[in-house]
């Protein structure tokens, strides 16, 4: 396995870092553009080993601690979408990559989608999973309860409430490795709160932000996928969002919920790898649907 490279950048004086795992077959031409992975609010640059395994032979794998995440500086007060978009652009420029494949999951989908809308010429392909495009009243209530627990110093209670809010706990719906994923998410929240000086602020932002998934997108090949039992935003709502992206594909992944990247980790990594390397992205229990070009939208990059 090649030795990873970590570089530190800054945007508006806010330091952040990214990690590059050079492709495992340096003597051969890469099968696709470098791939940038953007995860949830507390998913930093070291949390994607399955992507290293599946994409590593094909291309450079790039992960990041963006501002407000992991080892990076905290975000300044106020809206953060523009600063995070420019942080992603800084990574693309520092890599010297004309185009990137971009994969966003959960909280990271808003950053990835916003970057693709503003810089379509820099995005070769876009994959989005677990898109929180619609948060219902029950979700809002759960997150508000979690926020109060965190504000009161009840970290254990917060971790339990937040983890449960992100998962399908209905025993009538089979979720692969549900209890394992549940324990992992709880431990991850507790670890971040104990070891990151600004984890609390990052979580508050993730709870309070209402990302903008409107406006559509043209000119970027895109794949959107959801766990079939996602209770954060239903697959039906995520499919509606996918339909705003010209020519996109949408699919559901069986026996999984919002944490599909944990419950079906290898399946998701293989799916994303196949999409980014230009192979057919369907197989197993995933069922893809090619969406038509949106009415009144010209084909190609605009």
């Amino acid at each position: 396995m090649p030795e990873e490279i970590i570089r530190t950048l800054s945007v508006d004086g806010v330091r952040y870092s990214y990690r590059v795992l050079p492709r495992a077959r340096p003597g051969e031409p890469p099968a696709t553009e470098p791939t940038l992975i953007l995860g949830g609010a507390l998913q930093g640059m070291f949390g994607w080993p399955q992507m290293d395994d599946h994409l590593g032979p094909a291309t450079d794998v790039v992960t990041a601690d963006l501002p407000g995440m992991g080892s990076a500086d905290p975000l300044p007060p106020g809206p953060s979408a523009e600063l995070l978009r420019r942080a992603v652009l800084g990574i693309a420029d520092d890599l010297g990559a004309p185009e990137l494949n971009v994969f966003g999951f959960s909280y990271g989908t808003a950053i990835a989608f916003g970057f693709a809308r503003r810089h379509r010429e820099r995005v070769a392909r876009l994959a989005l999973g677990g898109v929180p495009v619609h948060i219902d009243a029950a979700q809002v209530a759960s997150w508000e309860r979690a926020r109060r627990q965190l504000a009161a110093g009840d970290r254990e209670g917060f971790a339990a409430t937040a983890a449960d809010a992100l998962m399908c706990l209905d025993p009538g719906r089979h979720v692969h490795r549900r209890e394992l994923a549940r324990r992992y998410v709880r431990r991850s929240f507790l670890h971040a709160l104990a070891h990151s000086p600004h984890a609390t602020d990052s979580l508050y932002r993730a709870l309070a932000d209402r990302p903008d998934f409107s406006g559509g997108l043209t000119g970027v090949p895109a794949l959107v996928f959801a766990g079939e039992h996602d209770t954060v935003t239903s697959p039906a709502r995520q499919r509606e969002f996918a339909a705003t992206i010209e020519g996109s594909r949408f699919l559901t992944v069986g026996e999984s919920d919002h944490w599909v990247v944990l419950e079906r980790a290898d399946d998701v990594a293989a799916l994303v790898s196949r999409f980014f390397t230009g192979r057919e992205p369907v197989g197993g229990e995933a069922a893809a649907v090619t969406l038509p070009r949106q009415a009144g939208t010209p084909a190609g990059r605009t």
Side-chain angles (χ1 to χ4, degrees):
M1 181 70 72
E3 186 173 349
E4 65 187 19
I5 301 164
I6 297 177
R7 291 180 58 81
T8 299
L9 305 175
S10 67
V11 55
D12 293 353
V14 179
R15 291 184 312 106
Y16 65 103
S17 300
Y18 74 93
R19 162 190 173 270
V20 181
L21 183 69
R23 63 187 303 267
R25 298 171 183 168
E28 304 172 11
T32 187
E33 291 80 2
T35 295
L36 174 63
I37 299 165
L38 303 172
L42 296 181
Q43 287 180 293
M45 67 170 73
F46 298 108
W48 299 96
Q50 71 275 27
M51 292 297 179
D52 293 346
D53 292 342
H54 284 267
L55 279 164
T59 189
D60 295 346
V61 180
V62 184
T63 56
D65 281 353
L66 292 179
M69 302 178 190
S71 62
D73 287 345
L75 285 162
S80 59
E82 175 67 12
L83 185 143
L84 290 169
R85 179 193 63 74
R86 287 190 286 118
V88 172
L89 181 62
I91 293 173
D93 288 345
D94 196 60
L95 285 168
E99 291 184 310
L100 295 173
N101 294 317
V102 181
F103 169 42
F105 169 69
S106 191
Y107 180 83
T109 60
I111 303 170
F113 182 66
F115 180 75
R117 290 201 69 230
R118 183 68 177 269
H119 297 287
R120 284 173 290 178
E121 75 284 355
R122 303 299 295 272
V123 180
R125 299 168 195 83
L126 177 69
L128 303 172
V131 187
V133 66
H134 173 77
I135 306 298
D136 64 20
Q139 277 285 316
V140 171
S142 293
W143 285 112
E144 177 57 26
R145 183 166 63 255
R147 189 196 66 77
R148 291 196 301 269
Q149 290 172 311
L150 186 58
D154 181 6
R155 292 184 174 184
E156 292 278 354
F158 165 80
T161 299
D164 289 356
L166 291 168
M167 307 193 77
C168 173
L169 301 179
D170 181 352
R173 300 182 182 184
H174 179 65
V175 174
H176 188 57
R177 297 176 177 171
R178 174 170 20 216
E179 285 307 313
L180 183 63
R182 191 181 186 187
R183 291 195 299 271
Y184 178 86
V185 173
R186 288 186 181 189
R187 287 198 304 268
S188 295
F189 283 146
L190 288 171
H191 182 272
L193 289 170
H195 294 90
S196 174
H198 50 268
T200 298
D201 178 68
S202 297
L203 285 166
Y204 279 145
R205 285 176 177 269
L207 299 178
D209 282 356
R210 292 294 178 264
D212 182 10
F213 291 103
S214 65
L217 177 64
T218 63
V220 177
L223 170 70
V224 180
F225 65 91
E228 68 169 332
H229 303 308
D230 194 330
T231 52
V232 175
T233 297
S234 70
R237 290 275 193 174
Q238 294 186 59
R239 190 188 190 284
E240 290 174 1
F241 161 72
T244 70
I245 302 176
E246 177 191 26
S248 68
R249 285 172 170 253
F250 173 79
L251 59 84
T252 57
V253 180
E255 299 183 349
S256 61
D257 56 23
H258 186 72
W259 281 106
V260 58
V261 295
L262 295 178
E263 296 148 353
R264 302 290 297 271
D266 285 335
D267 296 318
V268 168
L271 171 74
V272 172
S273 177
R274 290 171 66 119
F275 176 64
F276 284 157
T277 56
R279 292 173 288 158
E280 185 64 26
V282 297
E285 298 173 33
V289 178
T290 300
L291 300 171
R293 174 152 40 105
Q294 302 307 294
T297 302
R301 296 185 185 275
T302 61

